Short mmCIF file of all heavy atoms in Angstrom, two decimals:
data_model
loop_
_atom_site.label_atom_id
_atom_site.label_comp_id
_atom_site.label_asym_id
_atom_site.label_seq_id
_atom_site.Cartn_x
_atom_site.Cartn_y
_atom_site.Cartn_z
N VAL A 13 -3.01 4.94 6.05
CA VAL A 13 -3.76 5.83 6.93
C VAL A 13 -5.23 5.41 6.99
O VAL A 13 -5.82 5.38 8.08
CB VAL A 13 -3.62 7.30 6.46
CG1 VAL A 13 -4.58 8.21 7.20
CG2 VAL A 13 -2.19 7.76 6.67
N SER A 14 -5.81 5.06 5.87
CA SER A 14 -7.22 4.65 5.88
C SER A 14 -7.40 3.34 6.64
O SER A 14 -8.41 3.15 7.33
CB SER A 14 -7.76 4.52 4.46
OG SER A 14 -7.09 3.51 3.74
N LEU A 15 -6.44 2.44 6.56
CA LEU A 15 -6.51 1.20 7.34
C LEU A 15 -6.43 1.51 8.83
O LEU A 15 -7.17 0.94 9.64
CB LEU A 15 -5.40 0.24 6.95
CG LEU A 15 -5.37 -1.09 7.71
CD1 LEU A 15 -6.64 -1.88 7.45
CD2 LEU A 15 -4.15 -1.88 7.36
N ALA A 16 -5.55 2.43 9.21
CA ALA A 16 -5.44 2.81 10.62
C ALA A 16 -6.74 3.44 11.11
O ALA A 16 -7.20 3.17 12.24
CB ALA A 16 -4.27 3.78 10.81
N VAL A 17 -7.37 4.27 10.28
CA VAL A 17 -8.64 4.89 10.65
C VAL A 17 -9.72 3.82 10.80
O VAL A 17 -10.50 3.84 11.77
CB VAL A 17 -9.06 5.95 9.61
CG1 VAL A 17 -10.50 6.39 9.80
CG2 VAL A 17 -8.12 7.14 9.66
N LEU A 18 -9.77 2.88 9.87
CA LEU A 18 -10.77 1.82 9.95
C LEU A 18 -10.58 0.95 11.20
O LEU A 18 -11.55 0.63 11.90
CB LEU A 18 -10.72 0.94 8.70
CG LEU A 18 -11.33 1.55 7.45
CD1 LEU A 18 -10.97 0.70 6.23
CD2 LEU A 18 -12.83 1.66 7.59
N LEU A 19 -9.36 0.57 11.49
CA LEU A 19 -9.11 -0.24 12.67
C LEU A 19 -9.35 0.53 13.97
O LEU A 19 -9.89 -0.01 14.93
CB LEU A 19 -7.69 -0.80 12.64
CG LEU A 19 -7.43 -1.85 11.57
CD1 LEU A 19 -5.96 -2.25 11.56
CD2 LEU A 19 -8.33 -3.06 11.76
N GLY A 20 -8.95 1.79 13.98
CA GLY A 20 -9.22 2.63 15.15
C GLY A 20 -10.71 2.79 15.39
O GLY A 20 -11.19 2.73 16.53
N ASN A 21 -11.46 2.96 14.33
CA ASN A 21 -12.91 3.08 14.44
C ASN A 21 -13.52 1.76 14.91
O ASN A 21 -14.43 1.75 15.73
CB ASN A 21 -13.50 3.49 13.09
CG ASN A 21 -14.98 3.71 13.16
OD1 ASN A 21 -15.48 4.35 14.07
ND2 ASN A 21 -15.70 3.17 12.20
N LEU A 22 -13.00 0.65 14.42
CA LEU A 22 -13.52 -0.66 14.80
C LEU A 22 -13.34 -0.93 16.30
O LEU A 22 -14.24 -1.47 16.95
CB LEU A 22 -12.82 -1.75 13.98
CG LEU A 22 -13.21 -3.19 14.29
CD1 LEU A 22 -14.67 -3.43 13.90
CD2 LEU A 22 -12.31 -4.15 13.55
N PHE A 23 -12.18 -0.55 16.82
CA PHE A 23 -11.89 -0.85 18.23
C PHE A 23 -12.36 0.22 19.20
O PHE A 23 -12.21 0.06 20.40
CB PHE A 23 -10.39 -1.10 18.41
CG PHE A 23 -9.93 -2.34 17.71
CD1 PHE A 23 -8.92 -2.29 16.78
CD2 PHE A 23 -10.51 -3.56 17.97
CE1 PHE A 23 -8.48 -3.43 16.12
CE2 PHE A 23 -10.10 -4.72 17.33
CZ PHE A 23 -9.07 -4.64 16.41
N VAL A 30 -17.74 6.94 9.61
CA VAL A 30 -16.30 6.75 9.38
C VAL A 30 -16.08 5.54 8.47
O VAL A 30 -15.28 5.59 7.53
CB VAL A 30 -15.55 6.59 10.72
CG1 VAL A 30 -14.09 6.24 10.49
CG2 VAL A 30 -15.67 7.85 11.55
N THR A 31 -16.79 4.46 8.75
CA THR A 31 -16.66 3.26 7.93
C THR A 31 -17.14 3.51 6.50
O THR A 31 -16.52 3.04 5.54
CB THR A 31 -17.47 2.11 8.55
OG1 THR A 31 -17.06 1.94 9.91
CG2 THR A 31 -17.27 0.82 7.81
N THR A 32 -18.21 4.26 6.36
CA THR A 32 -18.75 4.55 5.03
C THR A 32 -17.77 5.36 4.20
O THR A 32 -17.69 5.18 2.98
CB THR A 32 -20.08 5.32 5.17
OG1 THR A 32 -20.99 4.51 5.94
CG2 THR A 32 -20.70 5.63 3.84
N ALA A 34 -14.18 5.78 4.98
CA ALA A 34 -12.83 5.23 4.94
C ALA A 34 -12.77 3.86 4.24
O ALA A 34 -11.73 3.51 3.68
CB ALA A 34 -12.26 5.12 6.35
N GLY A 35 -13.84 3.10 4.26
CA GLY A 35 -13.84 1.79 3.63
C GLY A 35 -13.60 1.86 2.12
O GLY A 35 -12.65 1.24 1.61
N HIS A 38 -10.10 3.19 1.35
CA HIS A 38 -9.06 2.17 1.51
C HIS A 38 -9.07 1.20 0.32
O HIS A 38 -8.01 0.83 -0.19
CB HIS A 38 -9.28 1.41 2.82
CG HIS A 38 -8.33 0.29 3.01
ND1 HIS A 38 -6.99 0.49 3.28
CD2 HIS A 38 -8.50 -1.05 2.96
CE1 HIS A 38 -6.39 -0.68 3.38
NE2 HIS A 38 -7.29 -1.64 3.20
#
Side-chain angles (χ1 to χ4, degrees):
V13 170
S14 64
L15 179 63
V17 168
L18 284 169
L19 291 175
N21 184 45
L22 178 66
F23 294 123
V30 174
T31 306
T32 302
H38 176 71

